[in-house]
Amino acid sequence: MDPASQEEANQVSLTVPEIISGMNASDQKSCFQAAQAARRILSEQRNPPVKLMVEAGLIPRLVEFLRSSYHPSLQFEAAWALTNIAAGPSEQTRAVVEAGAVQPLVELLSSPDLNVRKHATWALGNIAGDGPELRDVVISSNAIPHLRALISSTTPVAFLQTISWTLSNLCRNKDPRPSQMAVKQMLPILSHLLQQQDSEVLSHTCWSLSYVTKGCHEHIDQVVDMLVLPRLVELMTSSELSILIPSLCTVGNIVTGTDSQTQAAIDAGMLGALPQLLLHPKSFVQKMAAWALSNVAAGPPEHLQQLIASSILPPLVAVLRNGHFNVQKEAIWTVANFVTGGTIDQLILLLHSGVLEPLVNLLTTPDTKFIINILDIIFLLLQRTKKFARIESLCAVIEERGGLDRIKALQFHENRQVALTAQRIIEKHFSEEEDNDTLSLTLDQPRDA
């Protein structure tokens, strides 16, 4: 009989004072009944008396029980009670750590009893989730190798879910990030878990990788070297948002990195997945796809050419025409980066995709920063095509789409930068006198989500 059901028939309902008395008793039976009653109160009541139990000094006693290797049922009850206490406010989590619980919990990951191992994993996950300081306490206690040893072909799926969740908490938080050594230890585990089929395991694992890759080129390199990108791209097409979103977030983080890291994501097929994500029913998914795409577009012309070859321009234009405004704000960065770094032939393909019409239509938005971005794009398009004697046809298209009237009207906008940018376009490209000034765009790319 496992500890969850052992002695079930002998369960005793105790008051909090009786629990305090029982846990400090000298006989093991009283200790067990008190620990079990504490666990039940902490688990089942809406407002459990955690503070009262902490103030009564029960945490150190529960930690002592973790070391009762000849009584796994007592270890189980103590681990479960500490799991619930550690799930509370930060001061309660810290009280568990300060009582010395982390090391015995790590040791219980090697317990012969499955339920003891499970609750030790859960408790460590709660502690690690408190923040970077306690996360690093868990890591420094050698928890990661013990967690790795828990995973085998016979590990129950429910336990894999708990393990993957705990690992996600070990990957979370910045200032500081997990060390490179810790990441190096976790990545083979995450790579293995990424091959599972359970949705919850996959979700936790993808979130782990998204935390690791956010804003850190060294960690991105480590993830790329694990050769998990093809699997992540496959998961980007999942019908389950709990998997799609963190896998897309991870790949999006990777393409904020170096050109070679971005190329690795392209080689894994990410551009093939983005068109359908730009047209996904959920606008949040569209926005994330547009963000990832904009970072690919921030790369060299070779990346832009692969972007074009993946038939991404039509859905991009569709988003600019009909998408949610928050998605359009993200999608505009792809156009800006395209115009900034593309070759003249690539710009011609961009214009032939029909991008100019939605750009002009979006000049009516009340968002001044967005208007300035679009005006900057139009100005740079005119500047670059001017060098190849295409200025007259582009000016004509802008005028035909109603753009000239809108730009003229923006010369009188209440925002000074909008007005000056519109005025500059008119003076440079829609008047008889033109000078040779050039525009210097400062685009904040690549950009984190």
Side-chain angles (χ1 to χ4, degrees):
M1 184 177 292
D2 64 49
S5 56
Q6 190 172 355
E7 303 182 40
E8 190 77 21
N10 298 322
Q11 284 182 0
V12 178
S13 179
L14 302 177
T15 65
V16 172
E18 288 171 336
I19 289 172
I20 295 170
S21 175
M23 286 184 62
N24 288 300
S26 57
D27 66 292
Q28 199 170 66
K29 181 178 179 181
S30 296
C31 290
F32 171 77
Q33 289 177 338
Q36 186 179 67
R39 181 265 296 176
R40 289 172 64 83
I41 289 175
L42 290 169
S43 300
E44 296 175 6
Q45 290 192 7
R46 179 167 296 180
N47 297 303
V50 178
K51 186 176 180 181
L52 181 61
M53 292 191 180
V54 172
E55 291 174 347
L58 295 189
I59 292 179
R61 189 66 172 142
L62 288 167
V63 172
E64 286 182 42
F65 294 163
L66 294 177
R67 300 187 185 278
S68 300
S69 57
Y70 293 106
H71 199 338
S73 294
L74 182 57
Q75 291 178 313
F76 170 79
E77 298 294 350
W80 195 342
L82 289 169
T83 295
N84 291 335
I85 295 171
S90 186
E91 61 268 18
Q92 293 174 3
T93 310
R94 190 168 293 275
V96 171
V97 173
E98 290 173 352
V102 173
Q103 194 58 53
L105 284 169
V106 170
E107 292 169 5
L108 286 180
L109 296 179
S110 301
S111 167
D113 190 284
L114 173 63
N115 283 295
V116 171
R117 296 197 300 271
K118 182 176 179 179
H119 277 280
T121 302
W122 194 354
L124 289 168
N126 279 339
I127 292 168
D130 181 75
E133 182 185 349
L134 297 191
R135 174 204 67 199
D136 287 346
V137 169
V138 174
I139 290 173
S140 65
S141 299
N142 208 33
I144 298 172
H146 284 80
L147 289 169
R148 181 176 61 227
L150 293 173
I151 301 172
S152 71
S153 59
T154 60
T155 306
V157 170
F159 193 16
L160 287 177
Q161 293 170 348
T162 305
I163 295 167
S164 59
W165 171 77
T166 296
L167 286 168
S168 75
N169 280 347
L170 291 174
C171 292
R172 286 181 67 182
N173 293 304
K174 301 185 290 184
D175 304 321
R177 302 174 186 278
S179 68
Q180 274 194 268
M181 179 56 68
V183 172
K184 185 177 180 180
Q185 286 181 314
M186 286 188 280
L187 282 179
I189 312 174
L190 297 175
S191 177
H192 175 80
L193 292 174
L194 207 60
Q195 306 309 315
Q196 300 292 318
Q197 298 302 315
D198 180 74
S199 298
E200 190 172 331
V201 172
L202 287 174
S203 180
H204 291 319
T205 304
C206 289
W207 278 121
S208 297
L209 292 169
S210 76
Y211 301 144
V212 166
T213 53
K214 187 173 177 62
C216 182
H217 289 187
E218 292 79 10
H219 289 174
I220 290 174
D221 258 341
Q222 289 177 286
V223 172
V224 170
D225 289 344
M226 287 300 298
L227 305 179
V228 295
L229 269 167
R231 177 60 170 162
L232 285 168
V233 169
E234 177 187 354
L235 295 174
M236 284 167 55
T237 64
S238 172
S239 60
E240 298 184 60
L241 288 177
S242 63
I243 298 172
L244 187 162
I245 290 173
S247 59
L248 173 56
C249 187
T250 302
V251 176
N253 287 340
I254 289 171
V255 297
T256 67
T258 64
D259 287 347
S260 62
Q261 290 166 346
T262 300
Q263 186 61 54
I266 294 173
D267 291 342
M270 74 162 292
L271 291 177
L274 287 182
Q276 68 185 50
L277 295 179
L278 284 170
L279 302 176
H280 193 275
K282 297 290 185 181
S283 63
F284 180 71
V285 174
Q286 294 177 14
K287 182 180 177 181
M288 290 185 66
W291 161 70
L293 182 60
S294 72
N295 284 314
V296 175
E302 293 78 14
H303 290 175
L304 287 172
Q305 198 59 42
Q306 293 172 88
L307 184 156
I308 292 167
S310 299
S311 302
I312 286 177
L313 291 181
L316 176 67
V317 172
V319 165
L320 290 171
R321 280 202 182 106
N322 305 310
H324 190 280
F325 182 62
N326 285 335
V327 182
Q328 293 173 327
K329 286 172 69 174
E330 201 63 61
I332 207 71
W333 285 103
T334 297
V335 181
N337 290 334
F338 213 113
V339 172
T340 304
T343 65
I344 189 63
D345 287 338
Q346 289 170 341
L347 291 188
I348 292 169
L349 287 171
L350 177 67
L351 291 169
H352 284 169
S353 72
V355 75
L356 203 54
E357 183 176 358
L359 284 183
V360 166
N361 291 338
L362 287 168
L363 286 172
T364 58
T365 177
D367 188 309
T368 54
K369 289 184 179 179
F370 191 57
I371 293 173
I372 292 166
N373 274 349
I374 296 173
L375 291 174
D376 283 344
I377 290 168
I378 292 172
F379 189 99
L380 189 54
L381 271 171
L382 290 165
Q383 287 292 101
R384 295 199 63 191
T385 54
K386 178 180 180 180
K387 298 177 182 178
F388 293 88
R390 297 178 182 273
I391 188 70
E392 291 183 7
S393 60
L394 182 55
C395 287
V397 173
I398 291 173
E399 186 169 3
E400 288 170 6
R401 300 292 187 270
L404 179 57
D405 290 339
R406 290 189 175 118
I407 295 169
K408 282 181 176 179
L410 290 172
Q411 293 178 105
F412 307 100
H413 196 278
E414 61 184 10
N415 181 281
R416 179 171 172 78
Q417 191 175 352
V418 171
L420 290 175
T421 308
Q423 183 180 357
R424 193 175 189 191
I425 292 173
I426 298 299
E427 290 178 352
K428 288 281 295 179
H429 298 293
F430 292 94
S431 64
E432 294 182 1
E433 296 180 2
E434 296 181 1
D435 57 40
N436 292 318
D437 290 344
T438 58
L439 175 69
S440 176
L441 279 180
T442 302
L443 297 176
D444 207 5
Q445 291 285 327
R447 298 168 300 115
D448 289 336

